[in-house]
Amino acid sequence: MGLIVQKFGGTSVGSAEKIQNAANRAIAEKKQGHQVVVVVSAMGKSTDSLVSLAKQITAQPSKREMDMLLATGEQVTISLLSMALQEQGYDAVSYTGWQAGIRTEHVHGNARITDINTSAVEDQLSEGKIVVVAGFQGMTEEGQITTLGRGGSDTTAVALAAALKADKCDIYTDVPGVFTTDPRYVKSARKLSGISYDEMLELANLGAGVLHPRAVEFAKNYLVPLEVRSSTETEAGTLIEEEPSMEQNLIVRGIAFEDQITRVTVSGLANGLTTLSTIFTALAKRNINVDIIIQTAAGDNKTGISFSVKSEDTDNTVAVLDEYKDALKFDQIETESKLAKVSIVGSGMVSNPGVAAEMFAVLAKKNIQVKMVSTSEIKVSTVISENDMVKAVEALHDAFELSKQASVV
Ligand code: ADP
Ligand code: ASP
Ligand code: MG
């Protein structure tokens, strides 16, 4: 007998019928003799609907009230799924995040889980119940409701699996696994049988929405065996593990992309020792996440900086820089929006020089201008025009032969 944590995303619990289907998946594991915890998201697109409801009331809702509102979505699903299980004669109980002992830091809208007191869930499991837990939510030490950021139910599931020392965490979703790139955009994308924690972490951080990045972080840190699989088909999904045994060690494993990126360029900056720290400390204090940073030398003791931010942060970024105009003594700020970041990821890059060069050559051949670049041991990211994003991903997918079935080693 083992302990299995299952997670069902929004589409997979988007109707009464789909909730029945999720119940059947939980029952199938229970029938195998396992203890079962099920983590669920809000039904369908209901989180989006709650966000747009709030926007009809105010342009800038308080973050605390936003969490209060969004946390209701998952509570609808936990009660309905428990009812579906009870209807089929199984003992089930629904728990909110805080009832399940999920404690978070005091940050509204994007809180990190700090610890989990699993005793209540364990008591229910030992009584033979299927425990249904609301994803995406927790509570601070002071008793405030928080949410974990969009897509955060994955993190609830993996963190619970780690805390309960589960034998497995299955993420049921609307695609049959992790693909070489988003199969909604690239028809030739191929399902991977396995991928390493590190590669998955890069892909998730670089925009592959299939898993919440913090979920992968938890899985890597606690070595949680994780599988992403279809909620409607029974085929095996993708295993996320230390060393994927069923996949060849390809140079490029996958391609991630993200749109709505803006490049901010500040020119004619005084080239002082503290220039960089002044800019980026000010932005960090306002919670503005800066991604790629490029510094350019200019004559006359002047310097220039370009960096990328999410487009939604553009106005705030410019406002913060303007506040520091006297200290920074820059000439001007320029912004370019409608950009996208396209990244190739693969652990084989570490030992293969020339991957970035090949990427640039592929993009040049397609007449795609690269505006910014950033690399790490296992990824190369380029910032390009949003209009070229899908074309670039398709070209790179072809050039690195990602749709070819890798031979098993
Ligand atoms: P859920 O509601 O189940 O959490 P999500 O919409 O968050 O589902 O994640 C699944 C979606 O992730 C897929 O429908 C797909 O469009 C997208 N996706 C992005 N990159 C990938 C990838 N590399 N492999 C599979 N799916 C991907
Ligand atoms: N319901 C939340 C969202 O839509 C959390 C999740 O689905 O993982 O972002
Ligand atoms: Mg998701």
Side-chain angles (χ1 to χ4, degrees):
M1 186 182 90
L3 197 164
I4 312 268
V5 176
Q6 302 179 319
K7 180 254 165 179
F8 294 89
T11 314
S12 308
V13 289
S15 64
E17 198 188 344
K18 288 182 170 174
I19 289 177
Q20 305 278 9
N21 172 60
N24 291 337
R25 292 279 180 153
I27 289 168
E29 296 290 7
K30 188 75 189 153
K31 278 185 175 161
Q32 299 282 316
H34 301 305
Q35 293 185 316
V36 182
V37 175
V38 191
V39 173
V40 285
S41 294
M43 289 175 71
K45 301 246 171 272
S46 62
T47 309
D48 290 339
S49 308
L50 292 170
V51 171
S52 75
L53 254 181
K55 288 212 172 121
Q56 289 170 43
I57 303 276
T58 163
Q60 284 200 309
S62 115
K63 290 190 164 181
R64 180 188 183 278
E65 301 312 327
M66 224 30 219
D67 275 355
M68 188 64 85
L69 177 68
L70 297 192
T72 61
E74 272 65 17
Q75 290 176 53
V76 172
T77 327
I78 52 172
S79 45
L80 291 173
L81 178 56
S82 296
M83 289 176 202
L85 289 161
Q86 290 163 0
E87 183 67 12
Q88 294 208 47
Y90 285 81
D91 218 355
V93 59
S94 64
Y95 272 38
T96 61
W98 41 98
Q99 286 177 315
I102 295 177
R103 183 58 62 80
T104 75
E105 59 181 4
H106 197 147
V107 173
H108 286 296
N110 197 19
R112 287 176 178 270
I113 295 176
T114 49
D115 64 83
I116 305 183
N117 178 348
T118 52
S119 54
V121 171
E122 280 171 314
D123 287 350
Q124 298 293 334
L125 287 174
S126 63
E127 285 177 24
K129 291 182 191 160
I130 298 175
V131 184
V132 183
V133 179
F136 174 59
Q137 53 174 251
M139 193 173 268
T140 68
E141 225 173 282
E142 301 82 22
Q144 298 296 325
I145 293 174
T146 51
T147 61
L148 310 183
R150 297 302 306 268
S153 295
D154 296 332
T155 300
T156 306
V158 181
L160 262 177
L164 291 164
K165 300 190 174 55
D167 296 281
K168 198 163 189 274
C169 182
D170 286 327
I171 306 285
Y172 288 94
T173 184
D174 56 5
V175 281
V178 177
F179 282 61
T180 46
T181 192
D182 190 336
R184 279 183 207 283
Y185 288 81
V186 177
K187 292 294 158 234
S188 59
R190 178 175 65 85
K191 188 177 84 180
L192 295 162
S193 56
I195 184 167
S196 70
Y197 292 124
D198 286 330
E199 290 169 325
M200 191 64 234
L201 191 56
E202 286 281 11
L203 286 174
N205 274 320
L206 293 168
V210 64
L211 278 176
H212 195 236
R214 282 191 207 134
V216 189
E217 243 172 72
F218 267 107
K220 175 176 154 66
N221 292 343
Y222 296 90
L223 296 179
V224 178
L226 193 59
E227 184 170 344
V228 175
R229 52 191 306 187
S230 162
S231 56
T232 51
E233 311 292 328
T234 51
E235 64 185 281
T238 303
L239 288 172
I240 294 115
E241 50 196 350
E242 195 79 324
E243 288 292 331
S245 46
M246 299 294 286
E247 286 275 341
Q248 211 177 28
N249 197 16
L250 294 175
I251 294 173
V252 177
R253 179 86 66 206
I255 304 176
F257 51 93
E258 199 179 351
D259 57 7
Q260 295 187 39
I261 287 177
T262 294
R263 176 171 67 172
V264 180
T265 303
V266 192
S267 51
L269 277 158
N271 197 5
L273 262 183
T274 54
T275 304
L276 287 178
S277 64
T278 305
I279 295 180
F280 294 108
T281 309
L283 293 171
K285 274 195 190 144
R286 300 290 170 85
N287 274 327
I288 297 171
N289 240 324
V290 172
D291 186 17
I292 303 175
I293 302 173
I294 293 171
Q295 180 170 18
T296 49
D300 303 335
N301 221 15
K302 294 271 183 179
T303 187
I305 303 271
S306 281
F307 56 90
S308 62
V309 292
K310 285 198 189 315
S311 294
E312 63 189 29
D313 289 332
T314 310
D315 292 348
N316 281 338
T317 304
V318 173
V320 171
L321 291 170
D322 274 335
E323 273 175 40
Y324 285 80
K325 190 160 175 64
D326 287 344
L328 295 168
K329 299 190 178 57
F330 53 82
D331 290 341
Q332 62 166 347
I333 307 173
E334 284 168 280
T335 60
E336 183 178 3
S337 58
K338 293 201 177 347
L339 300 178
K341 183 165 70 171
V342 172
S343 311
I344 53 173
V345 172
S347 48
M349 278 182 208
V350 181
S351 48
N352 277 283
V355 183
E358 190 173 346
M359 181 180 194
F360 303 147
V362 171
L363 296 176
K365 212 169 153 192
K366 292 281 168 188
N367 274 327
I368 297 171
Q369 201 202 342
V370 175
K371 294 168 188 273
M372 298 178 104
V373 179
S374 125
T375 63
S376 79
E377 277 193 326
I378 65 164
K379 69 122 201 244
V380 183
S381 294
T382 53
V383 173
I384 59 174
S385 160
E386 213 171 72
N387 292 333
D388 290 330
M389 182 178 79
V390 176
K391 187 166 77 168
V393 176
E394 281 172 341
L396 292 165
H397 199 268
D398 269 359
F400 288 102
E401 302 190 323
L402 293 188
S403 48
K404 272 197 186 158
Q405 187 67 47
S407 55
V408 176
V409 284

